[in-house]
C-alpha cells in the first residue's frame, strides 16, 4: 500500500466531524480485503473485525476532520462560519476550502482588522458569489467546508491537510495489510467526532468491550522552532509510544508492552508526552470497568493547519508497531 497515494485518496473525501460517511466508504473499500467483516454503528464509526479466539483488542483511529460550518450569508454573498473542532484564525487565513457539493472558496479577513487582532468572527469565506441570492443557490446554512490544500512529498516528509488524523487511518490500513497470524480478536475502528470530544470512540468502546485498547493519532512534534517543548517526540524518531496527554495517562503495562515489542522487532520508537491535546484513548480507558489502554502516535508539525507534516519513516514504524501488538500473545 502506497502511503502517499492512500493519503491522497482519503483526503479527496469530505469528512468533517458529524459527516464522515464519504471517508468511511473509502476506508471500507481499502480495509475489506484484510478483515472478516465491516460494519457501521449509529455514530458512523467504521468497525473492521478480524475474528480470533483470543483477547479482544480495539485499535481506534479517528477519521473525522476539523472544518467550517456556514452560519450566515451576507448580502454581498460572503459566508460567515463557525468552527467544527479546533480552528485557529492565524492558521486558516487565506486558506482555500471546498464544500461537499464541490463549491470552492477562500477564507478572507474583514477589511481594517489587523491579523494580530483577528478572531474567527472576523473571517469569512468568499465563494465568488456576487450577492446573497447567488450564494444561497450554491450553499446553505449548515453546509460544511474543509481545507482544499494539496497532499505531497517533501523529501522524506509528507505534507497534507488533515494528517490529523487521516495519516493514522493509513497506519491502521498498513498494519492490517502487514498482519500475519494472530489469535487475538481484532477490531480496527475508524471513529467519528473525535475532534468534538472523542464521541465516536466512547460508544464503540462500550459496544466492543475490549480487553486492550490502542488509540492511533498524531502528536505534537517537539522539533518545531520555538515550541518550548510542548511535546517529547520528534520527527524521524520513530513511533511515539503514548505515555500521557490531557485525556489519558496510559496504563504502565501498555507502555511497557509496546516498548518491548519495539525493541524485539527493531522498530524505531520514542516516548510521547504532550502538555495539551488528547486522543480517543481518553474515552477508551474509562469504558465500563476500565480498559488497558495505550497509544501509538505519529509526530506531526503544524497540527490543525492546512499544511501538516509527518515523516514517512515514522508512519511506517507506527504501522509495524500496531501490527506487532495485534500479533502479540496477550
Amino acid at each position: 500500500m502506497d502511503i502517499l497515494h492512500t493519503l491522497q485518496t482519503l483526503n479527496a473525501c469530505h469528512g468533517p466531524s458529524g459527516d464522515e460517511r464519504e471517508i468511511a466508504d473509502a476506508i471500507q473499500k481499502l480495509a475489506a480485503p484484510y478483515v472478516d467483516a465491516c460494519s457501521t454503528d449509529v455514530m458512523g464509526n467504521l468497525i473492521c473485525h478480524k475474528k480470533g479466539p483470543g483477547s479482544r483488542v480495539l485499535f481506534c483511529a479517528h477519521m473525522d476532520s476539523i472544518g467550517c460550518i456556514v452560519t450566515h450569508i451576507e448580502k454581498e454573498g460572503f459566508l460567515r462560519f463557525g468552527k467544527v473542532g479546533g480552528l485557529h484564525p492565524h492558521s486558516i487565513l487565506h486558506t482555500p476550502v471546498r464544500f461537499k457539493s464541490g463549491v470552492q472558496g477562500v477564507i478572507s479577513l474583514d477589511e481594517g482588522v489587523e491579523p494580530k487582532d483577528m478572531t474567527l468572527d472576523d473571517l469569512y469565506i468568499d465563494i465568488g458569489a456576487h450577492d446573497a441570492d447567488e450564494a444561497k443557490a450554491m450553499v446553505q446554512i449548515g453546509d460544511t467546508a474543509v481545507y482544499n490544500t494539496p497532499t505531497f512529498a517533501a523529501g522524506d516528509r509528507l505534507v497534507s491537510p488533515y494528517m490529523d488524523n487521516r495519516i493514522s487511518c493509513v497506519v491502521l490500513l498498513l498494519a492490517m495489510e502487514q498482519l500475519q497470524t494472530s489469535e487475538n480478536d481484532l477490531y480496527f475502528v475508524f471513529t467519528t467526532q473525535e475532534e468534538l470530544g472523542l464521541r465516536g470512540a466512547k460508544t464503540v468502546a462500550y459496544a466492543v468491550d475490549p480487553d486492550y485498547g490502542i488509540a492511533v493519532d498524531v502528536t505534537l512534534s517537539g522539533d518545531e522552532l520555538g515550541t518550548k517543548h510542548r511535546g517529547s517526540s520528534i520527527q524521524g524518531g520513530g513511533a511515539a509510544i503514548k505515555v500521557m496527554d490531557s485525556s489519558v495517562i496510559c496504563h504502565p503495562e501498555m507502555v511497557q508492552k509496546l516498548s518491548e515489542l519495539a525493541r524485539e522487532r527493531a522498530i524505531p520508537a520514542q516516548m510521547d508526552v504532550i502538555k495539551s491535546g488528547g486522543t480517543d484513548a481518553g474515552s477508551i480507558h474509562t469504558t465500563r470497568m476500565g480498559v488497558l489502554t495505550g497509544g501509538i502516535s505519529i509526530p506531526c508539525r503544524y497540527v490543525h493547519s492546512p499544511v501538516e507534516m509527518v515523516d514517512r519513516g515514522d508512519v511506517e514504524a507506527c504501522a509495524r508497531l500496531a501490527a506487532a501488538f495485534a500479533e502479540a500473545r496477550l
Side-chain angles (χ1 to χ4, degrees), residues 42 54 71 80 85 92 132 182 191 198 210 214 230 268 291 293 298 306 310:
V42 172
T71 58
R80 297 294 181 179
I92 64 173
S182 175
T191 57
L198 320 181
I214 291 183
R230 292 181 301 160
V291 178
T293 303
I298 306 102
V310 300

Side-chain angles (χ1 to χ4, degrees), residues 90-145:
H90 66 277
S91 296
I92 64 173
L93 178 59
H94 301 145
T95 296
V97 297
R98 71 173 189 269
F99 289 84
K100 191 174 185 177
S101 64
V103 171
Q104 300 183 61
V106 64
I107 296 175
S108 299
L109 176 65
D110 284 344
E111 185 69 25
V113 177
E114 293 293 328
K116 64 181 178 64
D117 300 322
M118 68 180 175
T119 68
L120 287 176
D121 290 337
D122 301 312
L123 300 178
Y124 60 90
I125 299 174
D126 186 346
I127 57 172
H130 293 88
D131 54 34
D133 288 339
E134 185 176 352
K136 290 175 181 178
M138 301 167 69
V139 300
Q140 298 180 7
I141 303 299
D143 284 354
T144 52

Side-chain angles (χ1 to χ4, degrees), residues 198 201 214-215 242 245 247-248 250 279-286 293-295:
L198 320 181
I214 291 183
K242 177 72 72 178
D245 59 32
S247 70
V248 67
C250 289
T279 72
D280 279 338
S283 287
I284 297 169
H285 80 289
T286 57
T293 303

Side-chain angles (χ1 to χ4, degrees), residues 199-222:
R199 297 175 183 175
K202 182 177 183 179
T203 60
V204 81
Y206 188 92
V208 171
D209 190 18
D211 301 303
Y212 302 89
I214 291 183
V216 184
D217 209 327
V218 299
T219 189
L220 297 175
S221 185

Side-chain angles (χ1 to χ4, degrees), residues 58-201:
L58 172 65
F59 293 91
C60 282
H62 74 89
M63 58 184 169
D64 61 308
S65 71
I66 58 176
C68 310
I69 185 166
V70 178
T71 58
H72 182 78
I73 299 176
E74 302 281 11
K75 65 180 185 298
E76 298 87 355
F78 301 124
L79 313 178
R80 297 294 181 179
F81 63 91
K83 62 180 180 178
V84 180
L87 286 184
H88 308 293
H90 66 277
S91 296
I92 64 173
L93 178 59
H94 301 145
T95 296
V97 297
R98 71 173 189 269
F99 289 84
K100 191 174 185 177
S101 64
V103 171
Q104 300 183 61
V106 64
I107 296 175
S108 299
L109 176 65
D110 284 344
E111 185 69 25
V113 177
E114 293 293 328
K116 64 181 178 64
D117 300 322
M118 68 180 175
T119 68
L120 287 176
D121 290 337
D122 301 312
L123 300 178
Y124 60 90
I125 299 174
D126 186 346
I127 57 172
H130 293 88
D131 54 34
D133 288 339
E134 185 176 352
K136 290 175 181 178
M138 301 167 69
V139 300
Q140 298 180 7
I141 303 299
D143 284 354
T144 52
V146 297
Y147 300 147
N148 195 27
T149 47
T151 298
F152 60 94
D156 292 333
R157 305 287 161 83
L158 304 173
V159 179
S160 176
Y162 304 129
M163 288 295 187
D164 181 11
N165 192 38
R166 304 286 165 70
I167 194 61
S168 297
C169 296
V170 175
V171 164
L172 284 193
L173 289 167
L174 286 169
M176 294 158 71
E177 181 184 53
Q178 295 172 12
L179 191 58
Q180 299 298 315
T181 58
S182 175
E183 294 186 357
N184 297 315
D185 196 28
L186 303 175
Y187 290 81
F188 297 93
V189 179
F190 301 86
T191 57
T192 61
Q193 298 193 41
E194 190 270 358
E195 297 290 0
L196 299 180
L198 320 181
R199 297 175 183 175

